[in-house]
Amino acid sequence: MRIGDLVIDPPVMLAPMAGVSNRAFRAIARSQGAGLCITEMVNANALTHGSAKSYWLMELDPGEYPVGIQIAGSDPIAMAEAAKAAERHNAQLIDINMGCPVAKVVKNGDGSALLKDIERATEVAARVVDAVNLPVTVKIRAGWDADSITGPDLAERLERVGVRALAVHARTREDQYMRPANWSYISMVKQRVGIPVIGNGDVETPEDAVRMLQETGADAVMIGRASFGDPWIFSRVAHYMETGQHLPPPTAEQRSILAREHLDRMVAIKGEKVAIPEMRKQLSWYLKGTPQSSRYRAECNKLSSHREAQALVDDWLAHAQYEAPSWT
Ligand SMILES: Cc1cc2nc3c(=O)[nH]c(=O)nc-3n(C[C@H](O)[C@H](O)[C@H](O)COP(=O)(O)O)c2cc1C
């Protein structure tokens, strides 16, 4: 799939996820086959007020290209400024968030609130497209609720103002994350536009990914939660799309290597004090479903230093290799 001049190969992407798809995890997802990663959302207003955290969110790792920076906001001028800042930070595309359902985002008219104000949403996109020399994409939900499926109309308008691809999370704002994704929303958008459409929502297995492409006509899939503790999902999906065959699951050693890499990268970018509390849940995701995982996952919750976290992963590997070798 192409977005502007960018070739997205394989057509399997890491979803933008605040608190998860940071620089450390994006580099790992790329190394495991994600064709494109998108940053956590960066709030345009915070950025224009000089928020250090927002600038930090836009820092990119050389190992993660191709990469897009996602910006969120509903003020067309602030959004154009945010897009320029993202361009200066060497993003290769700008993604606009028109799907975030969180109350504190929506109350400012940002994120999925834009699905209720198509005029403004279109103006935001048009300003951003004019402001930068990069391809601009938009991530939408289907609409505000089941009675206002505005996504397909909005998609048509976004294409007209120069948006180069759309990611469609197949839920409404009202669905939040509770109801199962309804992939027919992706088909509805695909039928209305000529630009690439990226399907998103509840892809958990390689079979899901292929079924989503077949059922909706989408050009690519975007994976969020299924990558938690399982960045191999990208290569498994890509391999299955290409060959119809399954790759074997990661070995215990591969799991421990990547968990350690994730941990070390997080400490390098955030410092031990911030990284370790965040890595408690991340590490427990890597160990999910493995021998003695409930014991190790409980240990994860108590981690307080980098050294303890490294030791826990090493101990888990030793256990998996020597005490439960049939599993590895
Ligand atoms: C923890 C978390 C944070 C998220 N943050 C963002 C975000 O910053 N921007 C965005 O567009 N979507 C965000 N999302 C939505 C995801 O990108 C994706 O649309 C959603 O998780 C559905 O895909 P999945 O079923 O593959 O997880 C977030 C989702 C989760 C679970």
Side-chain angles (χ1 to χ4, degrees):
M1 181 185 66
R2 293 182 85 99
I3 302 178
D5 290 338
L6 270 187
V7 177
I8 312 301
D9 181 25
V12 184
M13 301 169 42
L14 172 66
M17 287 183 288
V20 180
S21 66
N22 52 45
R23 202 162 14 126
F25 190 58
R26 294 194 305 269
I28 286 173
R30 270 293 289 153
S31 75
Q32 297 310 314
L36 176 72
C37 297
I38 308 285
T39 65
E40 304 166 85
M41 69 176 161
V42 180
N43 181 284
N45 279 332
L47 203 63
T48 49
H49 287 98
S51 147
K53 182 178 173 214
S54 301
Y55 278 95
W56 184 87
L57 285 173
M58 292 196 300
E59 284 179 23
L60 305 173
D61 186 291
E64 64 168 302
Y65 283 80
V67 60
I69 291 182
Q70 187 185 66
I71 56 175
S74 50
D75 172 357
I77 295 168
M79 286 293 276
E81 287 309 311
K84 285 185 198 157
E87 187 172 42
R88 286 195 297 275
H89 275 73
N90 298 321
Q92 285 170 306
L93 69 80
I94 309 292
D95 184 54
I96 303 177
N97 182 323
M98 296 193 187
C100 181
V102 173
K104 75 172 192 240
V105 172
V106 167
K107 84 171 178 348
N108 296 327
D110 304 345
S112 59
L114 285 165
L115 300 168
K116 288 198 293 191
D117 190 348
I118 290 193
E119 295 297 330
R120 180 173 278 265
T122 309
E123 194 193 342
V124 165
R127 289 288 190 120
V128 170
V129 168
D130 283 350
V132 291
N133 292 312
L134 299 173
V136 174
T137 60
V138 180
K139 182 160 176 279
I140 61 173
R141 285 189 178 226
W144 183 257
D145 58 28
D147 295 329
S148 62
I149 300 302
T150 49
D153 282 347
L154 175 60
E156 232 178 58
R157 292 188 184 215
L158 294 174
E159 177 173 35
R160 254 185 261 142
V161 297
V163 167
R164 307 296 284 270
L166 293 162
V168 182
H169 178 186
R171 289 187 171 87
T172 64
R173 191 270 172 174
E174 193 193 58
D175 291 338
Q176 301 268 342
Y177 292 95
M178 271 110 56
R179 297 203 187 104
N182 176 352
W183 292 349
S184 69
Y185 291 138
I186 301 169
S187 321
M188 287 162 71
V189 171
K190 178 67 190 168
Q191 282 158 19
R192 297 280 288 274
V193 295
I195 51 178
V197 170
I198 301 146
N200 170 241
D202 292 353
V203 171
E204 293 175 358
T205 63
E207 286 88 344
D208 288 342
V210 167
R211 195 164 51 82
M212 177 187 267
L213 295 181
Q214 284 169 349
E215 285 181 11
T216 67
D219 303 274
V221 294
M222 175 181 270
I223 298 177
R225 290 163 297 172
S227 68
F228 292 178
D230 185 13
W232 301 273
I233 183 94
F234 299 104
S235 46
R236 287 205 305 278
V237 166
H239 187 79
Y240 186 74
M241 276 178 174
E242 222 176 287
T243 65
Q245 307 288 317
H246 284 287
L247 283 176
T251 62
E253 193 179 9
Q254 286 167 331
R255 275 184 197 249
S256 74
I257 290 171
L258 225 54
R260 282 278 297 252
E261 184 184 337
H262 194 167
L263 170 68
D264 295 348
R265 280 181 178 272
M266 282 286 280
V267 171
I269 66 167
K270 296 198 172 196
E272 190 174 23
K273 215 167 136 200
V274 176
I276 297 303
E278 287 191 21
M279 281 308 291
R280 289 179 192 142
K281 70 172 188 290
Q282 304 269 353
L283 285 178
S284 79
W285 288 334
Y286 280 96
L287 307 184
K288 203 170 159 187
T290 65
Q292 294 272 328
S293 69
S294 48
R295 171 160 76 84
Y296 284 103
R297 296 180 80 203
E299 292 293 319
C300 285
N301 287 330
K302 297 185 217 146
L303 292 172
S304 60
S305 72
H306 190 187
R307 189 172 299 190
E308 268 175 31
Q310 288 172 323
L312 181 138
V313 176
D314 291 348
D315 187 43
W316 170 82
L317 176 63
H319 171 83
Q321 285 182 323
Y322 301 113
E323 292 175 47
S326 61
W327 182 82
T328 61

